[in-house]
Amino acid sequence: MAKKKVLVTGGAGFIGGNFVQYMVKKYPQYDIYNLDLLTYAGDLMKHKEIESEENYHFVKADITDRETIIPLFENEKFDCVVHFAAESHVDRSITDPEIFVKTNVLGTQVLLDSAKQIGVSKFLHVSTDEVYGELDFDPNTFFTEDTPLQPNSPYSASKASSDLLVRAYHETFGLPINITRCSNNYGPFHFPEKLIPLTISRVLKDQKIPVYGDGKNIRDWLHVLDHCAAIDLVLHEGENGEVYNVGGHNECTNLEVVQTIISALGKSEELIEFVTDRLGHDKRYAIDPSKLEQLGWKPTYTFETGIAQTIQWYLDNKEWWEQIISGEYKNYFETQYTL
Ligand code: NAD
Ligand code: DAU
């Protein structure tokens, strides 16, 4: 019998990269296709361990390029699609929103058309809790799947737009879809423009840590491998057409996150520098994951175990992140920060 073909878009990035490795190892009976444009956020160094596996395949392509994507689907006849590819950094969406609309909205629509044309058995769209907007600091309020979409940044607005397109292809054309909306991820291969890897890599070099505003904004952190397991479960067991929130009840202020890392690395809090706040900075995100828990998911990492594992990973894998911060990232950092 032919192997099941799973197309993973954005599999050279942070979460998609972890997911590709998880799937290649867990499902030798599937062929995993990693489709990625290799933008500044994607690299193949992370896949050294799996690149020679028989069930791993890489395709360099742009999801917005209809002339390439439609024939690729027609030739390969993918059984299902797990769609991660996106522009993912909120700060970049504030300085340059256009690429977010192109990649996140148009790119998703090209994939939906391609998936509809060949009739995939599942299109799983990986989205974010940021589409719900922000919560206030009342610890008893959470995002549920019924929370109205009220995105506040160009990034989250582009993700919400793509969610609505995915929903529409289900309602109009009967495309079998799921949407997952996850909270903030952290773990191996997290690109050092994001808070946790930025803090770890800078603390290790005794450099200042830029904390936006008063540092009291709250994020709900989930280890990337718990996110991968959630996507695996939804891919196989998710009810057609349904949205699933993903989160592990690990709320922390940004300042707490930075202090935890500084303390774990035995450095001084004098490294913290409060800087101008992000425009439209969402106060708090917090996920109610009970619908996914009913499907059989529960996280395996607490923030304490996950952050310790992640810090150790950055200590053991300096080569990977040092290569990244020496490239395009350097210019980005100098434009974004005045530290
Ligand atoms: P990332 O920025 O690390 O990776 C994105 C990947 O997409 C990169 O490999 C990049 O090369 C690729 N890509 C970008 N434009 C492309 C294009 N036009 N064609 C093909 N590939 C392209 O992102 P991430 O943090 O791994 O996030 C992955 C997905 O998960 C995104 O859709 C994001 O919205 C969502 N998400 C992220 C988080 C988080 O905390 N990072 C949380 C919830 C949801
Ligand atoms: O909630 C899910 C989202 O989490 C994903 O959809 C996004 O793709 C992902 O990037 C992440 O978005 P955030 O904006 O929450 O992540 P970031 O790491 O950029 O910032 C986390 C918090 O830390 C946020 O409140 C802003 C703050 N921050 C961030 C940076 C980069 C700082 O204080 N200083 C910084 O230098």
Side-chain angles (χ1 to χ4, degrees):
M1 202 175 79
K3 278 179 166 177
K4 192 169 175 166
K5 288 187 173 183
V6 180
L7 177 70
V8 179
T9 71
F14 164 45
I15 310 174
N18 276 282
F19 185 71
V20 161
Q21 293 176 10
Y22 168 106
M23 293 294 282
V24 164
K25 288 175 199 154
K26 181 166 176 187
Y27 296 106
Q29 70 275 32
Y30 294 175
D31 267 319
I32 308 298
Y33 288 77
N34 168 12
L35 184 154
D36 200 293
L37 182 58
L38 302 180
T39 68
Y40 80 93
D43 73 89
L44 295 178
M45 294 180 285
K46 57 171 60 90
H47 290 322
K48 271 192 205 125
E49 257 186 45
I50 56 157
E51 67 192 3
S52 56
E53 294 295 335
E54 231 177 72
N55 65 336
Y56 172 70
H57 312 271
F58 176 67
V59 183
K60 184 171 182 208
D62 182 345
I63 55 166
T64 71
D65 176 7
R66 185 174 288 273
E67 310 311 313
T68 302
I69 299 297
I70 298 236
L72 177 75
F73 272 67
E74 280 167 348
N75 290 336
E76 296 293 349
K77 300 271 184 297
F78 300 116
D79 293 287
C80 45
V81 178
V82 185
H83 175 34
F84 293 90
E87 287 295 331
S88 69
H89 193 36
V90 174
D91 291 328
R92 289 185 191 249
S93 83
I94 295 166
T95 47
D96 183 12
E98 192 171 332
I99 184 72
F100 284 73
V101 176
K102 184 176 180 221
T103 303
N104 300 358
V105 186
L106 178 63
T108 301
Q109 195 247 329
V110 168
L111 291 169
L112 286 166
D113 273 347
S114 311
K116 166 170 117 19
Q117 192 143 321
I118 65 162
V120 299
S121 64
K122 177 69 66 85
F123 187 101
L124 194 159
H125 178 59
V126 181
S127 190
T128 168
D129 59 357
E130 297 199 14
V131 298
Y132 297 123
E134 66 177 353
L135 294 164
D136 61 24
F137 291 112
D138 172 357
N140 299 312
T141 54
F142 298 97
F143 294 135
T144 73
E145 290 78 2
D146 297 325
T147 303
L149 302 191
Q150 285 189 316
N152 292 320
S153 71
Y155 161 69
S156 53
S158 68
K159 289 297 291 185
S161 307
S162 62
D163 286 22
L164 293 179
L165 276 171
V166 174
R167 181 183 179 279
Y169 272 65
H170 174 66
E171 296 297 324
T172 306
F173 304 114
L175 189 72
I177 65 105
N178 285 119
I179 298 174
T180 54
R181 295 190 179 133
C182 190
S183 61
N184 284 62
N185 284 213
Y186 68 98
F189 298 116
H190 202 180
F191 195 87
E193 66 188 349
K194 308 282 168 63
L195 181 69
I196 286 184
L198 179 141
T199 302
I200 299 173
S201 57
R202 289 184 69 81
V203 170
L204 286 173
K205 289 178 179 285
D206 290 310
Q207 292 168 330
K208 291 281 185 192
I209 312 305
V211 173
Y212 298 162
D214 59 10
K216 291 192 179 140
N217 300 59
I218 290 175
R219 297 292 181 265
D220 183 357
W221 294 97
L222 187 75
H223 193 279
V224 64
L225 292 180
D226 283 328
H227 189 189
C228 292
I231 292 171
D232 178 13
L233 180 66
V234 173
L235 183 65
H236 290 95
E237 307 288 342
E239 200 182 314
N240 195 4
E242 291 296 308
V243 175
Y244 295 91
N245 282 353
V246 191
H249 287 298
N250 286 306
E251 289 183 54
C252 302
T253 67
N254 295 333
L255 194 53
E256 284 165 346
V257 168
V258 170
Q259 285 167 332
T260 301
I261 295 169
I262 289 176
S263 152
L265 289 169
K267 297 289 175 81
S268 158
E269 288 194 10
E270 279 174 19
L271 287 176
I272 294 172
E273 185 155 326
F274 291 95
V275 300
T276 312
D277 209 352
R278 174 184 277 175
L279 294 177
H281 195 174
D282 286 335
K283 283 199 275 291
R284 173 174 166 257
Y285 305 142
I287 283 281
D288 173 355
S290 33
K291 183 170 168 183
L292 186 65
E293 285 168 352
Q294 277 161 25
L295 203 64
W297 176 83
K298 69 172 185 321
T300 56
Y301 289 88
T302 61
F303 189 65
E304 287 68 29
T305 57
I307 197 69
Q309 182 259 16
T310 301
I311 293 171
Q312 191 57 48
W313 188 89
Y314 277 81
L315 285 166
D316 295 341
N317 292 275
K318 271 194 182 157
E319 206 190 324
W320 177 78
W321 57 265
E322 290 212 316
Q323 212 156 317
I324 280 168
I325 60 176
S326 67
E328 185 270 357
Y329 178 80
K330 235 180 172 172
N331 299 334
Y332 162 77
F333 195 89
E334 279 160 18
T335 326
Q336 178 71 21
Y337 300 97
T338 50
L339 291 171

